[in-house]
């Protein structure tokens, strides 16, 4: 990457010396090739860093950011997964959580159903408080996992009534 940058710098300097370095066709061709390589590298950075983000980003900073996925968690807390699988009982859902990006890795790892109360981003009121309470009472949902993101609070526009109720009445085991 640094080599391409140096070549691009030398090529830009060569444009100021028209007859001494090379013909205009060669310089134009090299310019197109270098610009294509640089922009191609730039666009390829999410793939190289194994980025899987809800809000895609590109550029060299993606390679050095420690795989910051901007909200898209791909890790599974193995202790949590083991606990809820062991204690799920007859519940339909392994657990409920705030959003699909928190639920997805657990669904993939366990092959079991996980309910995302707030839809994809956690902002969709996909279930009413009454419906949620009914599922809990029927034993279809036994656990709730906030995914380490913290819950947004019952008054927030970014959460559902059910999530707010859970925050207000939850206990930590």
């Amino acid at each position: 990457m640094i080599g391409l940058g140096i070549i691009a710098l030398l090529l830009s300097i060569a444009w100021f010396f028209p007859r001494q370095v090379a013909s205009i066709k060669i310089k134009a061709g090299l310019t197109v090739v270098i610009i294509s390589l640089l922009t191609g590298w730039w666009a390829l950075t999410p793939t190289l860093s194994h980025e899987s983000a809800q809000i895609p980003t590109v550029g060299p900073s993606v390679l050095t950011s420690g795989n910051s996925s901007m909200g898209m968690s791909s890790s599974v807390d193995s202790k949590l997964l083991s606990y809820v699988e062991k204690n799920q009982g007859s519940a339909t859902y392994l657990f409920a959580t705030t959003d699909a990006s928190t639920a997805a890795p657990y669904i993939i790892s366990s092959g079991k159903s996980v309910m995302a109360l707030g839809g994809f981003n956690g902002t969709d009121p996909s279930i009413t408080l009454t419906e949620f309470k009914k599922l809990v009472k029927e034993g279809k949902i036994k656990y709730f996992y906030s995914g380490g993101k913290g819950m947004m609070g019952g008054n927030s526009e970014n959460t559902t009534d059910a999530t707010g109720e859970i925050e207000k009445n939850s206990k930590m085991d």
Side-chain angles (χ1 to χ4, degrees), residues 102-117:
T102 301
Y106 289 92
I107 294 168
I108 293 167
S109 292
S110 69
K112 297 184 178 181
S113 298
V114 175
M115 179 180 279
L117 294 178

Side-chain angles (χ1 to χ4, degrees), residues 74-78 80-86 88 91-95 102-115:
S74 62
S75 62
V76 170
D77 181 335
S78 58
L80 170 72
L81 182 58
S82 176
Y83 179 84
V84 294
E85 284 183 317
K86 181 179 174 184
Q88 180 182 9
T92 305
Y93 298 96
L94 195 57
F95 58 83
T102 301
Y106 289 92
I107 294 168
I108 293 167
S109 292
S110 69
K112 297 184 178 181
S113 298
V114 175
M115 179 180 279

